[in-house]
Structure formats: C-alpha cells, structure tokens
Amino acid sequence: ETGVTQSPTHLIKTRGQQVTLRCSSQSGHNTVSWYQQALGQGPQFIFQYYREEENGRGNFPPRFSGLQFPNYSSELNVNALELDDSALYLCSSNPGRGGEETQYFGPGTRLLVL
Amino acid sequence: RKEVEQDPGPFNVPEGATVAFNCTYSNSASQSFFWYRQDCRKEPKLLMSVYSSGNEDGRFTAQLNRASQYISLLIRDSKLSDSATYLCVVGHNDMRFGAGTRLTVKP
C-alpha cells in the first residue's frame, strides 16, 4: 500500500455542478499532484502543490483548482462540470519538491458527469 | 506532438514470450524516467525507474537513450500476471504519462 487515500471512491454529478475531491498523503510527503485519466488514456497532469503553494500546472482551465493543507491532505475542486470531466481522478505524492520523483498514487476517484 | 508517445498496442502474447515496449519523449530537459504498471480499474504502480546505463529487475529490463529521447521496456518469459497496461512516464518538475500500452498474456 502507498499510504495515499482518496475520497470518495465514486461520484455522480450533473453538468454545471461543482465537485470537491479529497486526498490524504503520507506524512512527510510535501508534494502532491493531481491527474485526470479518461478511459483508455494515460493520466494527464492537472497541477501540483508543494507545501501548500501551487508548484506547476498542466493544460487545464481555471475551473480546476486545488488546495493543500499542512496535515498532508489536499483537495481538487472542479466548477461548472462538463460531460468531458468524467474520468478517474488520481492524486499522488512524493517527499521532495517537484513531482519528478517516484510518485505514490492513491486509488482514485471515479467521477461521472451526466 | 504529444510529450510522451508509446506503442499504441494492444499486445497479445502467449505465456513465455518476450515482449518489448517503446516510448519516445519530446522534452530534452527531462530528468527522470519510469515505467508504471496499471491494472484494470486500479491506480498506476511503479514497475521500475529507468537509468541511462540501463537496468534490470528480474524478467524486466529498461533502457534509456537520452540522445534519441527513447525509452524501452523488455519483458522476458511473460507470465499471465504480467497482463496490464504499461505506462511510460517522464519527469521534469512534474510527471508526464504516455497513453499506455495494453498487454494481454494468454495461456
């Protein structure tokens, strides 16, 4: 086990709604990254936080936002949900600064937008 | 051009076969390289890191060619349990994943 947990495991929302996904990293893992994985695709980098500051962002619109807390938990918020937001959302963590180290993934949250 | 490109697959091989996966990446400043394995409806898990000198872990051998920006994974003596999607991953401040290559090993 990686020691990274995510909640909820599954979620169904309707278009236009807002959603918050949660992740709890291992103690001492200062960097958390979030990914979106559509069916049949590899994970796409959304953004990364290091010690509560955003430390990198992929090609996702501003309606995707995040927070990292001092207790090694983090959130991914998505506003104005669209059908294409349906995917597996993964968080991962690593001890150092930056996400180029080995990533330890949580089990993911499956989001379905209707 | 995608940042990380992999063989599209799928690969269907018999038990005991040798199978090779190829991957190319576009960012020459990339610093770290990995192969991850992802089982159906599960999260990715680290299979092995990839080093310039090449590295081996049992039946798995990974190679990196920085000049060609190319990474490979060789699986020898395939087992049924090797059936999964193999993700090529390249790191430079963050991790970028390929689309994955699905492998099915059949009896």
Side-chain angles (χ1 to χ4, degrees), chain A:
Chain A
E1 295 300 326
T2 63
V4 180
T5 59
Q6 291 186 243
S7 63
T9 56
H10 296 80
L11 199 53
I12 300 175
K13 290 285 190 178
T14 56
R15 198 168 44 183
Q17 284 189 309
Q18 179 267 341
V19 68
T20 297
L21 309 182
R22 295 181 172 82
C23 173
S24 179
S25 308
Q26 287 189 43
S27 177
H29 278 202
N30 296 306
T31 294
V32 65
S33 303
W34 284 90
Y35 298 85
Q36 179 195 67
Q37 186 174 23
L39 200 61
Q41 300 296 314
Q44 298 295 308
F45 174 70
I46 303 175
F47 47 58
Q48 173 183 287
Y49 281 78
Y50 174 72
R51 291 186 173 176
E52 302 156 53
E53 299 276 339
E54 188 176 291
N55 189 39
R57 189 175 183 94
N59 191 26
F60 278 80
R63 61 189 184 84
F64 286 77
S65 63
L67 286 170
Q68 185 187 23
F69 304 102
N71 65 351
Y72 302 107
S73 66
S74 64
E75 291 180 354
L76 164 65
N77 299 289
V78 187
N79 293 323
L81 282 166
E82 300 177 0
L83 298 181
D84 285 349
D85 295 333
S86 296
L88 175 67
Y89 288 85
L90 295 158
C91 81
S92 68
S93 67
N94 57 277
R97 181 189 182 108
E100 72 273 13
E101 301 175 353
T102 299
Q103 296 294 303
Y104 297 88
F105 282 90
T109 293
R110 292 194 180 276
L111 173 65
L112 176 62
V113 182
L114 300 176

